[in-house]
PDB file of all heavy atoms in Angstrom:
ATOM      1  N   ASP A   1       0.795  -1.233  -0.001  1.00  0.00           N
ATOM      2  CA  ASP A   1       0.010   0.014  -0.010  1.00  0.00           C
ATOM      3  C   ASP A   1       0.876   1.250   0.008  1.00  0.00           C
ATOM      4  O   ASP A   1       0.492   2.268   0.603  1.00  0.00           O
ATOM      5  CB  ASP A   1      -0.972  -0.019   1.189  1.00  0.00           C
ATOM      6  CG  ASP A   1      -1.849  -1.140   1.288  1.00  0.00           C
ATOM      7  OD1 ASP A   1      -2.365  -1.594   0.148  1.00  0.00           O
ATOM      8  OD2 ASP A   1      -2.065  -1.758   2.350  1.00  0.00           O
ATOM      9  N   SER A   2       2.051   1.155  -0.648  1.00  0.00           N
ATOM     10  CA  SER A   2       2.948   2.271  -0.551  1.00  0.00           C
ATOM     11  C   SER A   2       2.396   3.603  -1.102  1.00  0.00           C
ATOM     12  O   SER A   2       1.588   3.622  -2.019  1.00  0.00           O
ATOM     13  CB  SER A   2       4.235   1.972  -1.480  1.00  0.00           C
ATOM     14  OG  SER A   2       4.845   0.834  -0.897  1.00  0.00           O
ATOM     15  N   LEU A   3       2.826   4.685  -0.496  1.00  0.00           N
ATOM     16  CA  LEU A   3       2.451   5.994  -0.988  1.00  0.00           C
ATOM     17  C   LEU A   3       3.246   6.294  -2.238  1.00  0.00           C
ATOM     18  O   LEU A   3       4.508   6.328  -2.208  1.00  0.00           O
ATOM     19  CB  LEU A   3       2.755   7.052   0.115  1.00  0.00           C
ATOM     20  CG  LEU A   3       2.038   6.892   1.459  1.00  0.00           C
ATOM     21  CD1 LEU A   3       2.491   7.932   2.473  1.00  0.00           C
ATOM     22  CD2 LEU A   3       0.514   6.992   1.171  1.00  0.00           C
ATOM     23  N   GLU A   4       2.575   6.596  -3.341  1.00  0.00           N
ATOM     24  CA  GLU A   4       3.275   6.888  -4.611  1.00  0.00           C
ATOM     25  C   GLU A   4       3.576   8.399  -4.655  1.00  0.00           C
ATOM     26  O   GLU A   4       2.727   9.247  -4.566  1.00  0.00           O
ATOM     27  CB  GLU A   4       2.392   6.562  -5.772  1.00  0.00           C
ATOM     28  CG  GLU A   4       3.065   6.647  -7.108  1.00  0.00           C
ATOM     29  CD  GLU A   4       2.354   6.052  -8.230  1.00  0.00           C
ATOM     30  OE1 GLU A   4       1.126   5.437  -7.957  1.00  0.00           O
ATOM     31  OE2 GLU A   4       2.685   6.172  -9.427  1.00  0.00           O
ATOM     32  N   LEU A   5       4.851   8.704  -4.865  1.00  0.00           N
ATOM     33  CA  LEU A   5       5.240  10.056  -4.839  1.00  0.00           C
ATOM     34  C   LEU A   5       5.729  10.443  -6.329  1.00  0.00           C
ATOM     35  O   LEU A   5       5.891   9.556  -7.183  1.00  0.00           O
ATOM     36  CB  LEU A   5       6.493  10.273  -3.900  1.00  0.00           C
ATOM     37  CG  LEU A   5       6.176   9.897  -2.450  1.00  0.00           C
ATOM     38  CD1 LEU A   5       7.439   9.982  -1.637  1.00  0.00           C
ATOM     39  CD2 LEU A   5       5.107  10.709  -1.860  1.00  0.00           C
ATOM     40  N   PRO A   6       5.960  11.738  -6.540  1.00  0.00           N
ATOM     41  CA  PRO A   6       6.326  12.125  -7.930  1.00  0.00           C
ATOM     42  C   PRO A   6       7.718  11.570  -8.246  1.00  0.00           C
ATOM     43  O   PRO A   6       8.470  11.042  -7.450  1.00  0.00           O
ATOM     44  CB  PRO A   6       6.411  13.657  -7.754  1.00  0.00           C
ATOM     45  CG  PRO A   6       5.553  14.000  -6.691  1.00  0.00           C
ATOM     46  CD  PRO A   6       5.638  12.878  -5.662  1.00  0.00           C
ATOM     47  N   LEU A   7       7.971  11.548  -9.599  1.00  0.00           N
ATOM     48  CA  LEU A   7       9.260  11.031 -10.116  1.00  0.00           C
ATOM     49  C   LEU A   7       9.442   9.565  -9.860  1.00  0.00           C
ATOM     50  O   LEU A   7      10.606   9.080  -9.734  1.00  0.00           O
ATOM     51  CB  LEU A   7      10.464  11.863  -9.605  1.00  0.00           C
ATOM     52  CG  LEU A   7      10.341  13.367  -9.787  1.00  0.00           C
ATOM     53  CD1 LEU A   7      11.549  14.032  -9.147  1.00  0.00           C
ATOM     54  CD2 LEU A   7      10.304  13.695 -11.317  1.00  0.00           C
ATOM     55  N   GLY A   8       8.364   8.736  -9.842  1.00  0.00           N
ATOM     56  CA  GLY A   8       8.489   7.326  -9.686  1.00  0.00           C
ATOM     57  C   GLY A   8       9.014   6.818  -8.351  1.00  0.00           C
ATOM     58  O   GLY A   8       9.680   5.833  -8.263  1.00  0.00           O
ATOM     59  N   SER A   9       8.761   7.596  -7.287  1.00  0.00           N
ATOM     60  CA  SER A   9       9.244   7.327  -5.942  1.00  0.00           C
ATOM     61  C   SER A   9       8.088   6.728  -5.121  1.00  0.00           C
ATOM     62  O   SER A   9       6.913   7.072  -5.372  1.00  0.00           O
ATOM     63  CB  SER A   9       9.902   8.524  -5.247  1.00  0.00           C
ATOM     64  OG  SER A   9      10.989   9.043  -6.037  1.00  0.00           O
ATOM     65  N   TYR A  10       8.443   5.948  -4.083  1.00  0.00           N
ATOM     66  CA  TYR A  10       7.456   5.373  -3.126  1.00  0.00           C
ATOM     67  C   TYR A  10       7.933   5.558  -1.709  1.00  0.00           C
ATOM     68  O   TYR A  10       9.175   5.520  -1.433  1.00  0.00           O
ATOM     69  CB  TYR A  10       7.257   3.891  -3.462  1.00  0.00           C
ATOM     70  CG  TYR A  10       6.635   3.583  -4.817  1.00  0.00           C
ATOM     71  CD1 TYR A  10       7.412   3.419  -5.920  1.00  0.00           C
ATOM     72  CD2 TYR A  10       5.233   3.536  -4.980  1.00  0.00           C
ATOM     73  CE1 TYR A  10       6.887   3.148  -7.184  1.00  0.00           C
ATOM     74  CE2 TYR A  10       4.683   3.223  -6.204  1.00  0.00           C
ATOM     75  CZ  TYR A  10       5.483   3.076  -7.359  1.00  0.00           C
ATOM     76  OH  TYR A  10       4.981   2.853  -8.608  1.00  0.00           O
ATOM     77  N   LEU A  11       6.991   5.589  -0.861  1.00  0.00           N
ATOM     78  CA  LEU A  11       7.274   5.747   0.688  1.00  0.00           C
ATOM     79  C   LEU A  11       6.448   4.660   1.370  1.00  0.00           C
ATOM     80  O   LEU A  11       5.159   4.708   1.202  1.00  0.00           O
ATOM     81  CB  LEU A  11       7.044   7.154   1.082  1.00  0.00           C
ATOM     82  CG  LEU A  11       7.385   7.374   2.547  1.00  0.00           C
ATOM     83  CD1 LEU A  11       8.840   7.256   2.866  1.00  0.00           C
ATOM     84  CD2 LEU A  11       6.921   8.860   2.964  1.00  0.00           C
ATOM     85  N   ASN A  12       7.070   3.948   2.211  1.00  0.00           N
ATOM     86  CA  ASN A  12       6.333   2.982   3.020  1.00  0.00           C
ATOM     87  C   ASN A  12       7.164   2.728   4.268  1.00  0.00           C
ATOM     88  O   ASN A  12       8.162   3.344   4.523  1.00  0.00           O
ATOM     89  CB  ASN A  12       6.043   1.654   2.343  1.00  0.00           C
ATOM     90  CG  ASN A  12       7.248   1.049   1.738  1.00  0.00           C
ATOM     91  OD1 ASN A  12       8.272   0.780   2.442  1.00  0.00           O
ATOM     92  ND2 ASN A  12       7.268   0.668   0.476  1.00  0.00           N
ATOM     93  N   ASN A  13       6.711   1.822   5.172  1.00  0.00           N
ATOM     94  CA  ASN A  13       7.347   1.566   6.423  1.00  0.00           C
ATOM     95  C   ASN A  13       8.660   0.783   6.209  1.00  0.00           C
ATOM     96  O   ASN A  13       9.361   0.526   7.187  1.00  0.00           O
ATOM     97  CB  ASN A  13       6.492   0.843   7.391  1.00  0.00           C
ATOM     98  CG  ASN A  13       5.948  -0.557   6.853  1.00  0.00           C
ATOM     99  OD1 ASN A  13       6.405  -1.010   5.781  1.00  0.00           O
ATOM    100  ND2 ASN A  13       5.124  -1.161   7.605  1.00  0.00           N
ATOM    101  N   ARG A  14       9.025   0.452   5.040  1.00  0.00           N
ATOM    102  CA  ARG A  14      10.347  -0.171   4.726  1.00  0.00           C
ATOM    103  C   ARG A  14      11.346   0.773   4.164  1.00  0.00           C
ATOM    104  O   ARG A  14      12.476   0.376   3.886  1.00  0.00           O
ATOM    105  CB  ARG A  14      10.119  -1.315   3.756  1.00  0.00           C
ATOM    106  CG  ARG A  14       9.277  -2.464   4.298  1.00  0.00           C
ATOM    107  CD  ARG A  14       9.278  -3.676   3.390  1.00  0.00           C
ATOM    108  NE  ARG A  14       8.504  -4.747   3.864  1.00  0.00           N
ATOM    109  CZ  ARG A  14       8.306  -5.931   3.268  1.00  0.00           C
ATOM    110  NH1 ARG A  14       8.901  -6.176   2.124  1.00  0.00           N
ATOM    111  NH2 ARG A  14       7.533  -6.866   3.829  1.00  0.00           N
ATOM    112  N   GLY A  15      10.914   2.079   4.030  1.00  0.00           N
ATOM    113  CA  GLY A  15      11.919   3.073   3.583  1.00  0.00           C
ATOM    114  C   GLY A  15      11.323   3.912   2.435  1.00  0.00           C
ATOM    115  O   GLY A  15      10.155   3.850   2.065  1.00  0.00           O
ATOM    116  N   PHE A  16      12.250   4.694   1.872  1.00  0.00           N
ATOM    117  CA  PHE A  16      11.959   5.598   0.771  1.00  0.00           C
ATOM    118  C   PHE A  16      12.562   5.003  -0.486  1.00  0.00           C
ATOM    119  O   PHE A  16      13.823   4.829  -0.592  1.00  0.00           O
ATOM    120  CB  PHE A  16      12.491   6.997   1.065  1.00  0.00           C
ATOM    121  CG  PHE A  16      12.319   7.920  -0.210  1.00  0.00           C
ATOM    122  CD1 PHE A  16      11.154   8.287  -0.611  1.00  0.00           C
ATOM    123  CD2 PHE A  16      13.531   8.415  -0.784  1.00  0.00           C
ATOM    124  CE1 PHE A  16      11.055   9.123  -1.778  1.00  0.00           C
ATOM    125  CE2 PHE A  16      13.406   9.261  -1.852  1.00  0.00           C
ATOM    126  CZ  PHE A  16      12.177   9.612  -2.293  1.00  0.00           C
ATOM    127  N   PHE A  17      11.831   4.634  -1.490  1.00  0.00           N
ATOM    128  CA  PHE A  17      12.269   3.975  -2.741  1.00  0.00           C
ATOM    129  C   PHE A  17      12.258   5.035  -3.778  1.00  0.00           C
ATOM    130  O   PHE A  17      11.249   5.753  -4.029  1.00  0.00           O
ATOM    131  CB  PHE A  17      11.340   2.753  -3.068  1.00  0.00           C
ATOM    132  CG  PHE A  17      11.378   1.673  -2.181  1.00  0.00           C
ATOM    133  CD1 PHE A  17      10.790   1.769  -0.999  1.00  0.00           C
ATOM    134  CD2 PHE A  17      12.139   0.536  -2.483  1.00  0.00           C
ATOM    135  CE1 PHE A  17      10.768   0.665  -0.117  1.00  0.00           C
ATOM    136  CE2 PHE A  17      12.154  -0.573  -1.569  1.00  0.00           C
ATOM    137  CZ  PHE A  17      11.503  -0.494  -0.382  1.00  0.00           C
ATOM    138  N   PHE A  18      13.362   5.139  -4.600  1.00  0.00           N
ATOM    139  CA  PHE A  18      13.491   6.192  -5.648  1.00  0.00           C
ATOM    140  C   PHE A  18      14.264   5.577  -6.803  1.00  0.00           C
ATOM    141  O   PHE A  18      14.988   4.481  -6.623  1.00  0.00           O
ATOM    142  CB  PHE A  18      14.211   7.408  -5.078  1.00  0.00           C
ATOM    143  CG  PHE A  18      15.577   7.156  -4.624  1.00  0.00           C
ATOM    144  CD1 PHE A  18      16.703   7.323  -5.441  1.00  0.00           C
ATOM    145  CD2 PHE A  18      15.789   6.758  -3.321  1.00  0.00           C
ATOM    146  CE1 PHE A  18      17.986   7.077  -4.974  1.00  0.00           C
ATOM    147  CE2 PHE A  18      17.075   6.556  -2.814  1.00  0.00           C
ATOM    148  CZ  PHE A  18      18.181   6.674  -3.680  1.00  0.00           C
ATOM    149  N   PRO A  19      14.120   6.116  -7.987  1.00  0.00           N
ATOM    150  CA  PRO A  19      14.830   5.538  -9.197  1.00  0.00           C
ATOM    151  C   PRO A  19      16.382   5.611  -9.000  1.00  0.00           C
ATOM    152  O   PRO A  19      16.932   6.570  -8.470  1.00  0.00           O
ATOM    153  CB  PRO A  19      14.430   6.541 -10.266  1.00  0.00           C
ATOM    154  CG  PRO A  19      13.094   7.119  -9.874  1.00  0.00           C
ATOM    155  CD  PRO A  19      13.272   7.262  -8.353  1.00  0.00           C
ATOM    156  N   LYS A  20      16.966   4.530  -9.399  1.00  0.00           N
ATOM    157  CA  LYS A  20      18.416   4.361  -9.312  1.00  0.00           C
ATOM    158  C   LYS A  20      19.087   4.795 -10.660  1.00  0.00           C
ATOM    159  O   LYS A  20      18.736   4.257 -11.668  1.00  0.00           O
ATOM    160  CB  LYS A  20      18.768   2.938  -9.012  1.00  0.00           C
ATOM    161  CG  LYS A  20      20.307   2.662  -8.907  1.00  0.00           C
ATOM    162  CD  LYS A  20      20.560   1.217  -8.638  1.00  0.00           C
ATOM    163  CE  LYS A  20      22.063   0.924  -8.482  1.00  0.00           C
ATOM    164  NZ  LYS A  20      22.289  -0.502  -8.227  1.00  0.00           N
ATOM    165  N   PRO A  21      19.930   5.805 -10.654  1.00  0.00           N
ATOM    166  CA  PRO A  21      20.588   6.221 -11.881  1.00  0.00           C
ATOM    167  C   PRO A  21      21.569   5.195 -12.462  1.00  0.00           C
ATOM    168  O   PRO A  21      22.343   4.624 -11.595  1.00  0.00           O
ATOM    169  CB  PRO A  21      21.289   7.539 -11.490  1.00  0.00           C
ATOM    170  CG  PRO A  21      21.528   7.407 -10.056  1.00  0.00           C
ATOM    171  CD  PRO A  21      20.365   6.567  -9.518  1.00  0.00           C
ATOM    172  N   LEU A  22      21.558   4.992 -13.711  1.00  0.00           N
ATOM    173  CA  LEU A  22      22.507   4.038 -14.352  1.00  0.00           C
ATOM    174  C   LEU A  22      23.312   4.819 -15.389  1.00  0.00           C
ATOM    175  O   LEU A  22      22.696   5.278 -16.370  1.00  0.00           O
ATOM    176  CB  LEU A  22      21.715   2.914 -15.032  1.00  0.00           C
ATOM    177  CG  LEU A  22      20.890   2.026 -14.130  1.00  0.00           C
ATOM    178  CD1 LEU A  22      20.062   1.044 -14.918  1.00  0.00           C
ATOM    179  CD2 LEU A  22      21.727   1.325 -13.001  1.00  0.00           C
ATOM    180  N   TRP A  23      24.541   5.033 -15.094  1.00  0.00           N
ATOM    181  CA  TRP A  23      25.401   5.914 -15.935  1.00  0.00           C
ATOM    182  C   TRP A  23      25.989   5.076 -17.070  1.00  0.00           C
ATOM    183  O   TRP A  23      26.387   3.944 -16.797  1.00  0.00           O
ATOM    184  CB  TRP A  23      26.405   6.611 -15.116  1.00  0.00           C
ATOM    185  CG  TRP A  23      25.912   7.522 -14.070  1.00  0.00           C
ATOM    186  CD1 TRP A  23      25.658   7.179 -12.780  1.00  0.00           C
ATOM    187  CD2 TRP A  23      25.390   8.871 -14.221  1.00  0.00           C
ATOM    188  NE1 TRP A  23      25.120   8.302 -12.094  1.00  0.00           N
ATOM    189  CE2 TRP A  23      24.956   9.352 -12.960  1.00  0.00           C
ATOM    190  CE3 TRP A  23      25.404   9.692 -15.385  1.00  0.00           C
ATOM    191  CZ2 TRP A  23      24.423  10.642 -12.871  1.00  0.00           C
ATOM    192  CZ3 TRP A  23      24.880  11.008 -15.141  1.00  0.00           C
ATOM    193  CH2 TRP A  23      24.421  11.430 -13.960  1.00  0.00           C
ATOM    194  N   GLY A  24      26.126   5.693 -18.175  1.00  0.00           N
ATOM    195  CA  GLY A  24      26.796   5.070 -19.374  1.00  0.00           C
ATOM    196  C   GLY A  24      28.167   5.411 -19.427  1.00  0.00           C
ATOM    197  O   GLY A  24      28.885   5.819 -18.474  1.00  0.00           O
ATOM    198  N   GLU A  25      28.845   5.098 -20.625  1.00  0.00           N
ATOM    199  CA  GLU A  25      30.269   5.282 -20.793  1.00  0.00           C
ATOM    200  C   GLU A  25      30.626   6.770 -20.847  1.00  0.00           C
ATOM    201  O   GLU A  25      29.841   7.589 -21.440  1.00  0.00           O
ATOM    202  CB  GLU A  25      30.745   4.589 -22.083  1.00  0.00           C
ATOM    203  CG  GLU A  25      30.598   3.113 -22.009  1.00  0.00           C
ATOM    204  CD  GLU A  25      31.052   2.447 -23.348  1.00  0.00           C
ATOM    205  OE1 GLU A  25      31.564   3.246 -24.201  1.00  0.00           O
ATOM    206  OE2 GLU A  25      31.025   1.214 -23.440  1.00  0.00           O
ATOM    207  N   GLY A  26      31.758   7.126 -20.342  1.00  0.00           N
ATOM    208  CA  GLY A  26      32.255   8.497 -20.446  1.00  0.00           C
ATOM    209  C   GLY A  26      31.658   9.406 -19.386  1.00  0.00           C
ATOM    210  O   GLY A  26      31.951  10.597 -19.335  1.00  0.00           O
ATOM    211  N   THR A  27      30.847   8.928 -18.481  1.00  0.00           N
ATOM    212  CA  THR A  27      30.203   9.772 -17.545  1.00  0.00           C
ATOM    213  C   THR A  27      31.187  10.341 -16.443  1.00  0.00           C
ATOM    214  O   THR A  27      30.821  11.279 -15.709  1.00  0.00           O
ATOM    215  CB  THR A  27      29.061   9.083 -16.802  1.00  0.00           C
ATOM    216  OG1 THR A  27      29.507   7.791 -16.296  1.00  0.00           O
ATOM    217  CG2 THR A  27      27.896   8.726 -17.759  1.00  0.00           C
ATOM    218  N   TRP A  28      32.339   9.751 -16.374  1.00  0.00           N
ATOM    219  CA  TRP A  28      33.441  10.328 -15.481  1.00  0.00           C
ATOM    220  C   TRP A  28      33.752  11.717 -15.842  1.00  0.00           C
ATOM    221  O   TRP A  28      34.277  12.468 -15.022  1.00  0.00           O
ATOM    222  CB  TRP A  28      34.625   9.422 -15.444  1.00  0.00           C
ATOM    223  CG  TRP A  28      35.290   9.400 -16.776  1.00  0.00           C
ATOM    224  CD1 TRP A  28      35.063   8.450 -17.812  1.00  0.00           C
ATOM    225  CD2 TRP A  28      36.354  10.184 -17.233  1.00  0.00           C
ATOM    226  NE1 TRP A  28      35.897   8.653 -18.853  1.00  0.00           N
ATOM    227  CE2 TRP A  28      36.718   9.751 -18.559  1.00  0.00           C
ATOM    228  CE3 TRP A  28      37.001  11.213 -16.714  1.00  0.00           C
ATOM    229  CZ2 TRP A  28      37.673  10.377 -19.326  1.00  0.00           C
ATOM    230  CZ3 TRP A  28      38.022  11.913 -17.494  1.00  0.00           C
ATOM    231  CH2 TRP A  28      38.298  11.452 -18.735  1.00  0.00           C
ATOM    232  N   LEU A  29      33.489  12.097 -17.065  1.00  0.00           N
ATOM    233  CA  LEU A  29      33.815  13.447 -17.459  1.00  0.00           C
ATOM    234  C   LEU A  29      32.864  14.476 -16.849  1.00  0.00           C
ATOM    235  O   LEU A  29      33.240  15.690 -16.705  1.00  0.00           O
ATOM    236  CB  LEU A  29      33.708  13.644 -18.949  1.00  0.00           C
ATOM    237  CG  LEU A  29      34.757  12.833 -19.805  1.00  0.00           C
ATOM    238  CD1 LEU A  29      34.409  12.906 -21.311  1.00  0.00           C
ATOM    239  CD2 LEU A  29      36.118  13.461 -19.516  1.00  0.00           C
TER     240      LEU A  29
END
C-alpha cells in the first residue's frame, strides 16, 4: 500500500524507494 510520490518514488514503512541512476560510458567527465 505504498504512498506513490512524484518522479517514480514510493514511501512505506520499509523506507523511501526512488529511481536508481544508471550511468553510461564516459560519464566520469
